[in-house]
Amino acid sequence: MDTESRLKHLQEKLQAIGQSHLLSFYDELDDKRRQRLLEQIEALDFRHIPEWVQHYVKDYTAVALPTSFEPAPSYPARPRDEQQREKYAQATRLGESLVRQGKVAGFVVAGGQGTRLGFDGPKGNFPISPIKNKTLFQIFAESLLAASKKYNTTIPWYIMTSPLNHQATLEILESAGYYGLNKKDVFLFQQGTMPNFDFEGKILLADKDTIAASPDGHGGSLKALYKSGAIADMRRRGVEYLSYWQVDNSLVRIVDPLFIGLHVLDRSEMSSKALLKADPLEKVGNFCLVDGKVTVIEYSDLPEEQALRRKADGSLVFELGSIGLHMIDAAFIERLNRGGDFALPLHRAIKKIPHIDAAGNPVNPTEPNGIKLETFVFDALPLAEQSIILETIRSEEFAPVKNATGPDSPEVTRRMMIERAAHWLEQAGVAVPRKADGTPDCVLEIAPSFALCADDIKEKADRVPAIQPGQVLYLE
Ligand code: UTP
């Protein structure tokens, strides 16, 4: 189709969905910019946009809470009785064997915009380790390298970016030489985007040739893994299970044989790790059972009286929080995508969205002015035939870098990294000097090459020098 007919065709399609303004500046653009704009318009989901405008902009009503829901069952972090101890041992052996056979890959979602942290560039490039200032990406890469060595295998790494940070992420990995990983074992792919709307349901323009759009949420990963060929790549390699984590979690244990083993033993299609909530209103999703299916109910949707309910022993009824750690079967992702029109529910967020106005002038809003739509990966849990939950311990596995200051800030994360290192060393019998308030009186950093978990240290405790108060000690 020549450009004229293409333009005419798109004008008609846009008119039919009330979005003709997207071509308002077309005549002012040079040829290259015209092509750019037409390509973006062609990529719009014309079939669904009217429905999104209706449901999420004009007539929005929050999703109703299910009429009946209960807390989801889970495996405790430590086995409760002998039978469970045996199952955990069996699962751990199975998990280790699957890793050794090359059936497990790492998968990080790194397509987010990281607006709260306000860091310039992909969040994975944020320097976080307490002594060496390693970036999140470097810590993950070194962990994969160390686990590959430990299990005498290759653990491929799938990384989801978004069109907003793909090139930057690629450049970071290239210039770091993939932190020692084999480039062919790192698979980068991009997630999809969703157009941003103003409060009237009009799609915003970021520039005269650019539609304002944002990544389609971490839920977009389940589509993007399939569309990008990542799943096909896994199949070629014989990988069956993905260990999923989020780019801001500096304490993630990517390869956890127990979690992998329980997931596979119980024939779960998608499993989750959960935390016991630190307080009833903690801002994490709540693991519930709805119609027998594991479902995450967001903190903002769980009525306060439910969130505050306690059991006879004083613990919370809804005590399990979701922290973005999952095991996912490649076959589950294939099953979801096979029909072609698989979609997770959309969630809307009211945001400040920079754009140009009808006269083409840039607007940098100081108040929220529009709506972004995204999907969440945990909304796929109820679609799984089987789904299990394993509780984990916060100080061992969860320290997200979300905010520049305060809770979930780099400062808190670094402290947690030092605390975990101290705890691992103490478990191996190494004395760690502590201050009167109980915090370590030293700065510690353990490289993944030295230990991936507390047990790894036990074998090499004799290589750790005596730690003096105030010492700065890096172990690799
Ligand atoms: P967050 O919910 O923290 O969002 O993402 P964010 O965009 O990174 O940060 P804010 O809210 O703007 O401050 C949790 C995880 O999901 C990934 C992020 O990269 C992070 O690992 N994510 C989020 C995606 O990969 N794509 C998305 O569209 C959204």
Side-chain angles (χ1 to χ4, degrees), residues 20-67:
S20 300
H21 64 286
L22 293 179
L23 286 166
S24 306
F25 303 102
Y26 184 83
D27 292 340
E28 295 176 31
L29 304 174
D30 65 24
D31 227 32
K32 208 166 140 208
R33 295 183 74 194
R34 285 181 174 181
Q35 292 306 322
R36 207 180 121 79
L37 179 63
L38 292 185
E39 275 165 30
Q40 291 168 65
I41 296 175
E42 275 162 347
L44 289 173
D45 187 342
F46 282 87
R47 193 153 69 93
H48 290 111
I49 286 172
E51 176 189 321
W52 296 340
V53 169
Q54 195 56 37
H55 291 312
Y56 297 98
V57 183
K58 294 194 168 156
D59 269 342
Y60 180 72
T61 39
V63 185
L65 201 62
T67 42

Side-chain angles (χ1 to χ4, degrees), residues 96-109:
E96 285 172 342
S97 144
L98 293 167
V99 176
R100 253 185 226 109
Q101 293 168 53
K103 291 187 185 297
V104 179
F107 172 40
V108 66
V109 288

Side-chain angles (χ1 to χ4, degrees), residues 73-202:
S74 61
Y75 284 103
R78 308 263 178 263
R80 274 199 199 101
D81 52 31
E82 199 42 46
Q83 199 188 352
Q84 213 163 42
R85 210 178 323 279
E86 266 169 39
K87 180 155 188 183
Y88 279 33
Q90 185 194 1
T92 303
R93 283 192 302 273
L94 174 63
E96 285 172 342
S97 144
L98 293 167
V99 176
R100 253 185 226 109
Q101 293 168 53
K103 291 187 185 297
V104 179
F107 172 40
V108 66
V109 288
Q113 295 177 289
T115 40
R116 283 171 285 172
L117 185 62
F119 173 61
D120 187 22
K123 212 192 241 188
N125 204 34
F126 192 86
I128 193 68
S129 80
I131 296 173
K132 296 290 175 185
N133 248 325
K134 290 179 190 174
T135 65
L136 288 156
F137 279 145
Q138 183 173 0
I139 294 172
F140 304 149
E142 289 186 10
S143 301
L144 286 160
L145 203 57
S148 297
K149 214 163 170 186
K150 178 172 175 179
Y151 295 106
N152 193 19
T153 187
T154 299
I155 303 172
W157 187 14
Y158 297 86
I159 303 175
M160 185 175 82
T161 62
S162 73
L164 284 75
N165 68 10
H166 184 79
Q167 195 52 34
T169 305
L170 187 64
E171 280 163 20
I172 289 161
L173 294 171
E174 284 282 338
S175 73
Y178 291 80
Y179 309 100
L181 291 170
N182 205 328
K183 180 176 170 173
K184 74 172 181 30
D185 299 323
V186 183
F187 190 112
L188 255 77
F189 63 96
Q190 300 185 47
Q191 66 179 115
T193 57
M194 293 288 276
N196 300 154
F197 297 91
D198 69 12
F199 293 135
E200 266 70 59
K202 299 283 180 219

